[in-house]
Amino acid sequence: KNNLTWKTTNSGNNWSLISSYGTGYQECLLFYNENLGFIGREDYNLGWGVSRTTNGGLNWQFQNVPNLTEPVTDFYFTGNTTGYFAARNQIFKTTNSGSNWFSVYNYNSNFYTVEMYCIQFVNNEIGYAAMTNSQILKTTDAGNTWSIHNSISGYGFYDLYFTDVNTGYLVGSNGVILKTTNGCGDPIGIEPVSS
């Protein structure tokens, strides 16, 4: 927050300030391993994009991402070369460890802002993203195409976690926690379990 990023090397007992990745607004960070890491940023001079490190945060390189119009909100990598990020109403993909990013999904709405705060893959092919307009996106072809897989009215979703291709959890507005056991298929067997 406020252009600051911190690093720990002793399980959180001490933290040191990371520098050299630039200035600007950032909303998310991911390290795929101890060396390869990413910060989704708006550089005040260079625009929206991603800062990448390949040496554990010692050095960073900012890359402006063409057609990116919103802040990056979440990253997910399925391997050391293939990764994705959600950016409010867009999804981008890389196949070369973040050297280049290309758009694979763009949700257009003329009536209200739709935001995606989370993206996750359960294997190399199947992935999910949840949106604040009660809709869930799903891909079955490694993120090349996305479709609205289900819509559950009344809730905006802010995070998700899948344990396998069928079982997943969503959290959202009004304190809702939802579970799917059929890969976000049509709702079945809904019954209240508590208030």
Side-chain angles (χ1 to χ4, degrees):
K1 184 175 180 179
N2 299 327
N3 309 324
L4 299 178
T5 302
W6 300 79
K7 178 179 180 178
T8 181
T9 56
N10 59 7
S11 302
N13 290 319
N14 302 97
W15 293 85
S16 59
L17 190 63
I18 292 178
S19 60
S20 78
Y21 60 86
T23 60
Y25 173 83
Q26 64 249 2
E27 195 161 305
C28 67
L29 153 102
L30 170 86
F31 271 78
Y32 175 72
N33 55 38
E34 67 181 66
N35 292 312
L36 182 62
F38 304 89
I39 299 174
R41 299 184 37 244
E42 178 193 13
D43 186 289
Y44 294 147
N45 298 314
L46 302 174
W48 295 104
V50 175
S51 283
R52 179 177 77 142
T53 181
T54 56
N55 59 9
L58 295 176
N59 303 101
W60 295 84
Q61 179 182 8
F62 179 77
Q63 178 186 9
N64 181 277
V65 177
N67 302 315
L68 178 61
T69 60
E70 298 286 344
V72 178
T73 55
D74 198 17
F75 287 99
Y76 198 90
F77 270 69
T78 57
N80 63 348
T81 59
T82 303
Y84 308 83
F85 70 72
R88 297 282 169 92
N89 61 351
Q90 300 171 287
I91 298 175
F92 285 77
K93 179 179 180 178
T94 182
T95 55
N96 57 10
S97 302
S99 293
N100 302 97
W101 297 88
F102 55 93
S103 177
V104 292
Y105 184 81
N106 190 356
Y107 184 93
N108 292 317
S109 174
N110 295 325
F111 302 106
Y112 52 87
T113 301
V114 173
E115 298 178 338
M116 282 180 274
Y117 289 104
C118 55
I119 186 169
Q120 183 198 356
F121 277 72
V122 293
N123 57 36
N124 291 336
E125 300 294 319
I126 298 175
Y128 297 92
M131 298 190 290
T132 57
N133 66 346
S134 304
Q135 294 178 328
I136 302 157
L137 294 175
K138 183 176 183 179
T139 180
T140 57
D141 62 0
N144 294 314
T145 59
W146 294 80
S147 60
I148 296 174
H149 195 62
N150 204 346
S151 181
I152 304 170
S153 62
Y155 305 109
F157 299 121
Y158 296 97
D159 205 359
L160 58 77
Y161 184 80
F162 277 77
T163 58
D164 58 48
V165 295
N166 291 314
T167 306
Y169 302 86
L170 296 134
V171 294
S173 59
N174 300 320
V176 68
I177 301 172
L178 299 177
K179 178 181 180 181
T180 179
T181 56
N182 62 359
C184 287
D186 290 333
I188 57 173
I190 295 174
E191 58 184 274
V193 293
S194 74
S195 59

